Amino acid sequence: MTSFPARAFVWTLAALCVSPVLVAQPLLYQISIPAVTTGPVQTNATSLQFIAPPLVLPAPPAPALGLIQEPNFLASGSAQGNTFLLFAFLSGGANTTLSLTYVNPMTNARVVYTFVGSPPPPVYTPGTYVLPGSVSLQGPDGTVTMGSQATGTLKITVAPTLPTLLTSAPTLIFKYDGGTLPASQTLSISSSGDPLSFSAFVLNTLSWLTVTSPSSPSPTTGTNNDTTPSTVTVTADPRGLAPGTYTATIRLGAPGAVNFVENIVVTFFVTGTFSPPAPPPILTQISNSASYALSPAPNSAIAQGSLFVIFGINLGPDTLAQSGYPLTPTLAGTSVKVTVGSTSTDALVLYTSSRQVAAILPSRTAVGSGVLVLTYNGSIGQSIPITVSSSSFGTYSVASNGLGPGIITGADYGLKTSSSPARPGETVILWGTGLGATDGDESIAPTPVSRFSPVVLVGNSAQAKVSYAGRASCCSGLDQINFVVPGGIEGCFVPVSVQAGGVTSNFTSVPIATSGSCVQPPGFTSSLVDKANLGSNMKLGMIAVGAVPVLENFGFFADQPAAQRIAEILGRKVDPADLRALVRAQRGTPAEKRTVIAKVARKYGVRSLSQVRTLQSQLGALLGNDSEGAVALFGGFTEIGSFSNQFLTDFPASGSCTASPNFPTAGPGATASPGGLEAGAQLTISTPSGNKTLSRSTAGEYSTLFGSGFPVSQAPAGTYRVAGSGGKDVGSFSAVLSVSSSLRWLNQSATTIVDRSQPLTVTWSGGPNPGHVLFGGASDTAGGAFFVCIEDAQKGSLTVPQQVLSILPPTAGAKGYLFLATDPFENPFTAPGLDAGYFMNFSNDSREVQFR
């Protein structure tokens, strides 16, 4: 037996004409052939239908009708096999015959039906006629296998009056030149009479041509079950096509129409190669190009006439493109538009790349809140908020991130460094952007004019004399401030800030010395800083004693002893992430503490209320503000060059303050990657209350807990000694810390609300002698910032300038903090294998405040 899977029909035209005869009315021919289920060739049931319109047809004695691909020809079913109807032929005369041939295109095998009328029916006379015949199989090699007999039925009737299927256009033409994709075109499908059910499909299933309709809204090569009046939308897609001319046919089929099928010829002229559109730009940050201040920091607005940067992805080309004069709104396909209210302004693009764009905000840009939109190669990014101000200055930094030493040069444009510091009385140049608008043509190099009056603060209170404040002659948008270095303060990291238009800039630093090199902060030798600045790998050791929450705040975790004690309570080993969550919760409200403790307790199977209370009590004893501990960290730091100066800038010269939008960090443009150093299996510590063992948790990290009941956040006075027998990275050592009288903040109770528009004075008692104290604060809100001041402990007071406090955003409903602590880096120790070591006292006196 031979069998074939079903397949759609393809029809070709064949017709024979001999002597004509006139047929006065349309005739409907209906041919049915039953399935053949026995014998060597078995077939499915098939049927044909054909309407012959009134026309001249072949006349006897040999009338003939070729039925294939006539407009009103329909066929259903297939002979079995992957076959389609190749030919159907009906002839009249002495022996009326019907011949059907189905072909398998894969094998060229053919199934042939042959019927001979008996008696011969008249081809043009209505009636029902029996056509006995046979079925055969012709193999690819021409071998014929005869099958069983089959009896077909031919029914001829006068065709009913049927509506005509109508289309709005017989042809469609698409064109593509390599630019915008061609628009889809719509065919209107209607009927001359009653509504018609119809379908539409693309012959030969071409990938570049699709159709949609109300019944098939997704692009496809065929639709079904639509009813007139309706539409068919046709889309030509050039993707993957080479330039050339392409043709296709869309076939409309309506079984109830007098014209069963209509063919729509589609021609597609492709003259360009398709290039996928660039993905849309995604913008993540807009900042002053010097300060990198982020909203809602008070200095985060973009000033008229200033240089600003945009960060994100898909912003421009993969390779950096830079502009020369004259500057233009579009560079390498990148453009930037700023809209404030109803006024839009095109920025002047300086450089563009895939992840960063720099531009000048023209001085004519309207002031206020608005939006910025970046476009690259026609792809439009999302609009993001921007605040345009008349002034918002930023100072460029050596690390190119607004942190650390500033770009401050001498008159010879040489950068001021620790080995070549600024001298009191010398005129230096501070470089930045954001002083304000100018009236010149910003697309070309500016004419220098000193038009601004900024306040330059050096150290805490020394207001420098400004001799020039305006655009640099080289570059549009770039500002220079020439000022005289005041006397009375020296150091390698003297804070510098600029106040323009009532807005304080980012804080950077400048090295100042009367002669020779500048003096490094306490605890940091020049050789150590020089080695760090060269980017050399640094091996450092840090030991700290203090309140456990304070140690945790600074990144020192007493993991091992806390984990052991909590595991004893829970009866299971504790995940480090859960331990950190418990530690952080101790700084929260009572409700926050209860929530975290209950969640962790449930995770570890603690269900009873008494067990939860026990856990809460033990956590308070282990991790509360009156709990003390000691931690030690030994690590190797790589690529520390930029980070070291940023970090040291946060420990300014004695008698001065600095501020930053971020806590000490490597930040953009710098990295400091630690790796643990092995200093032995454990360390020992002797304290005023006894001896303890610092257990190792991971490579280079050691910790222990002293217990609770100590003065809040204060290490008891006395001598602390940490010793280690050494390991493979760090040799044996002994480090000593002497804690004198407790450091107390005397006017703490009167400091609950901090007015950022006024200076803040703090007084204290105690502290190291000799030594320094740190006073600082932080605004724990979006766009938060912090400040740090350093002063001789024996002076007993310091004043934080208003210019420093103005960097902190108001806390509103969030929290603010102030703290008083000893300088942690004034007690160094040495150990084989380390470049430097510090034994730090993290005692402090602190409180929550509101910044307003």
Side-chain angles (χ1 to χ4, degrees):
M1 181 183 103
T2 303
S3 64
F4 304 86
R7 182 185 172 101
F9 301 116
V10 176
W11 304 310
T12 60
L13 172 64
L16 295 177
C17 293
V18 289
S19 300
V21 63
L22 179 62
V23 178
Q25 56 188 353
L27 298 177
L28 173 63
Y29 294 81
Q30 294 174 299
I31 301 168
S32 299
I33 303 170
V36 177
T37 58
T38 60
V41 182
Q42 299 181 17
T43 64
N44 293 325
T46 63
S47 62
L48 310 176
Q49 181 173 289
F50 174 75
I51 292 180
L55 46 71
V56 177
L57 290 175
L65 289 174
L67 306 181
I68 303 300
Q69 210 180 29
E70 290 291 342
N72 300 326
F73 178 85
L74 288 180
S76 65
S78 88
Q80 275 198 351
N82 188 19
T83 63
F84 60 86
L85 184 60
L86 178 66
F87 187 77
F89 184 75
L90 174 67
S91 66
N95 294 298
T96 299
T97 62
L98 174 66
S99 177
L100 305 177
T101 301
Y102 290 83
V103 65
N104 184 326
M106 304 298 294
T107 64
N108 205 34
R110 302 186 178 206
V111 177
V112 181
Y113 295 95
T114 302
F115 299 94
V116 178
S118 179
V123 176
Y124 309 117
T125 303
T128 300
Y129 307 95
V130 176
L131 298 177
S134 62
V135 60
S136 63
L137 173 66
Q138 180 179 323
D141 58 356
T143 302
V144 176
T145 301
M146 295 303 299
S148 302
Q149 297 295 310
T151 300
T153 301
L154 170 62
K155 184 177 180 180
I156 304 175
T157 58
V158 176
T161 301
L162 300 176
T164 302
L165 184 68
L166 304 175
T167 63
S168 58
T171 61
L172 296 176
I173 296 176
F174 292 89
K175 297 179 181 180
Y176 177 69
D177 60 4
T180 303
L181 293 175
S184 298
Q185 299 185 41
T186 300
L187 287 170
S188 296
I189 312 299
S190 59
S191 167
S192 64
D194 294 336
L196 289 170
S197 176
F198 73 94
S199 62
F201 64 92
V202 179
L203 291 183
N204 298 322
T205 313
L206 302 172
S207 61
W208 58 267
L209 190 63
T210 57
V211 292
T212 60
S213 72
S215 69
S216 304
S218 298
T220 180
T221 56
T223 70
N224 52 47
N225 298 327
D226 289 294
T227 302
T228 60
S230 187
T231 57
V232 172
T233 301
V234 183
T235 303
D237 189 344
R239 283 173 280 199
L241 298 181
T245 301
Y246 298 84
T247 58
T249 298
I250 296 174
R251 173 153 292 168
L252 303 174
V258 66
N259 52 334
F260 286 104
V261 294
E262 284 291 330
N263 293 324
I264 310 298
V265 177
V266 179
T267 305
F268 192 10
F269 298 101
V270 179
T271 57
T273 302
F274 174 80
S275 297
I282 300 175
L283 284 64
T284 58
Q285 178 181 327
I286 304 174
S287 301
N288 176 290
S289 70
S291 70
Y292 292 92
L294 298 177
S295 178
N299 61 337
S300 63
I302 307 300
Q304 295 169 308
S306 68
L307 298 167
F308 68 98
V309 289
I310 304 169
F311 295 96
I313 58 176
N314 307 324
L315 306 183
D318 292 334
T319 302
L320 178 71
Q322 301 182 70
S323 176
Y325 289 122
L327 303 177
T328 59
T330 301
L331 176 64
T334 299
S335 62
V336 178
K337 185 181 295 292
V338 174
T339 302
V340 177
S342 59
T343 304
S344 295
T345 308
D346 292 318
L348 300 173
V349 182
L350 293 175
Y351 65 77
T352 177
S353 64
S354 61
R355 294 185 176 273
Q356 184 172 333
V357 171
I360 295 175
L361 186 65
S363 294
R364 67 179 184 278
T365 307
V367 172
S369 298
V371 294
L372 178 148
V373 175
L374 183 146
T375 302
Y376 174 57
N377 281 349
S379 294
I380 303 174
Q382 88 279 19
S383 61
I384 60 174
I386 183 174
T387 300
V388 180
S389 66
S390 59
S391 183
S392 183
F393 187 76
T395 302
Y396 287 103
S397 69
V398 173
S400 297
N401 61 5
L403 304 174
I407 301 294
I408 299 175
T409 69
D412 60 354
Y413 303 113
L415 183 68
K416 294 303 178 181
T417 63
S418 60
S419 59
S420 180
R423 307 298 184 190
E426 178 185 3
T427 297
V428 296
I429 306 171
L430 180 148
W431 301 89
T433 187
L435 284 177
T438 63
D439 52 11
D441 182 356
E442 289 165 307
S443 69
I444 61 177
T447 299
V449 177
S450 184
R451 65 173 67 235
F452 304 103
S453 301
V455 175
V456 177
L457 189 67
V458 180
N460 248 27
S461 57
Q463 183 174 327
K465 179 182 179 181
V466 175
S467 59
Y468 177 89
R471 295 290 190 267
S473 61
C474 69
C475 314
S476 295
L478 178 65
D479 295 325
Q480 68 177 77
I481 301 174
N482 300 3
F483 68 91
V484 179
V485 178
I489 185 167
E490 297 187 21
C492 288
F493 300 96
V494 177
V496 178
S497 62
V498 176
Q499 194 170 64
V503 179
T504 300
S505 72
N506 57 313
F507 276 68
T508 58
S509 67
V510 60
I512 301 175
T514 302
S515 62
S517 299
C518 60
V519 177
Q520 299 291 345
F524 297 94
T525 64
S526 295
S527 60
L528 180 67
V529 174
D530 289 343
K531 183 176 181 179
N533 290 342
L534 290 173
S536 303
N537 292 347
M538 302 290 291
K539 296 180 179 180
L540 304 177
M542 287 171 280
I543 305 170
V545 296
V548 173
V550 176
L551 296 174
E552 187 269 339
N553 282 345
F554 283 88
F556 297 95
F557 297 98
D559 289 0
Q560 188 68 13
Q564 290 174 349
R565 183 70 188 106
I566 295 173
E568 293 173 3
I569 299 171
L570 297 176
R572 293 173 58 185
K573 184 177 179 180
V574 181
D575 187 299
D578 294 327
L579 179 61
R580 299 283 169 86
L582 291 170
V583 172
R584 286 192 296 270
Q586 298 309 300
R587 293 182 291 151
T589 65
E592 290 170 341
K593 292 180 185 179
R594 288 193 297 269
T595 299
V596 174
I597 291 172
K599 180 179 179 180
V600 174
R602 286 194 301 270
K603 178 177 179 180
Y604 291 92
V606 176
R607 294 289 185 266
S608 71
L609 181 60
S610 62
Q611 286 180 302
V612 173
R613 287 174 174 170
T614 299
L615 176 60
Q616 186 171 350
S617 174
Q618 290 292 330
L619 283 171
L622 284 169
L623 307 173
N625 287 330
D626 65 343
S627 61
E628 296 280 331
V631 293
L633 172 64
F634 301 90
F637 293 79
T638 61
E639 301 178 22
I640 200 173
S642 298
F643 174 77
S644 62
N645 278 337
Q646 294 173 41
F647 181 81
L648 292 174
T649 298
D650 292 322
F651 292 87
S654 179
S656 64
C657 304
T658 190
S660 172
N662 304 105
F663 282 95
T665 175
T671 58
S673 305
L677 298 177
E678 182 61 60
Q682 62 184 28
L683 307 177
T684 61
I685 182 171
S686 61
T687 76
S689 58
N691 298 329
K692 292 282 186 177
T693 298
L694 282 81
S695 302
R696 181 178 62 195
S697 54
T698 59
E701 296 186 20
Y702 305 80
S703 59
T704 189
L705 297 175
F706 298 159
S708 59
F710 294 92
V712 174
S713 300
Q714 296 290 327
T719 300
Y720 297 78
R721 184 185 301 273
V722 173
S725 59
K728 67 182 183 66
D729 300 312
V730 180
S732 62
F733 70 94
S734 178
V736 177
L737 172 68
S738 295
V739 177
S740 56
S741 59
S742 296
L743 179 65
R744 287 300 176 190
W745 178 3
L746 298 179
N747 62 338
Q748 181 190 85
S749 61
T751 312
T752 58
I753 296 175
V754 177
D755 184 350
R756 299 179 304 118
S757 67
Q758 300 294 324
L760 173 66
T761 298
V762 60
T763 60
W764 66 86
S765 65
N769 185 15
H772 293 81
V773 296
L774 305 181
F775 181 73
S779 176
D780 188 14
T781 184
F786 83 105
F787 74 91
V788 174
C789 304
I790 294 185
E791 186 56 277
D792 186 334
Q794 300 310 302
K795 289 189 175 182
S797 70
L798 64 81
T799 298
V800 184
Q802 179 275 330
Q803 202 159 342
V804 172
L805 294 174
S806 68
I807 283 290
L808 278 68
T811 49
K815 296 177 181 178
Y817 305 91
L818 293 176
F819 70 91
L820 180 70
T822 59
D823 188 332
F825 293 101
E826 289 191 316
N827 187 49
F829 73 90
T830 60
L834 296 181
D835 293 299
Y838 300 94
F839 196 167
M840 299 176 284
N841 175 14
F842 273 10
S843 297
N844 73 95
D845 205 355
S846 62
R847 70 163 302 149
E848 291 184 8
V849 296
Q850 288 289 320
F851 292 103
R852 296 182 181 174

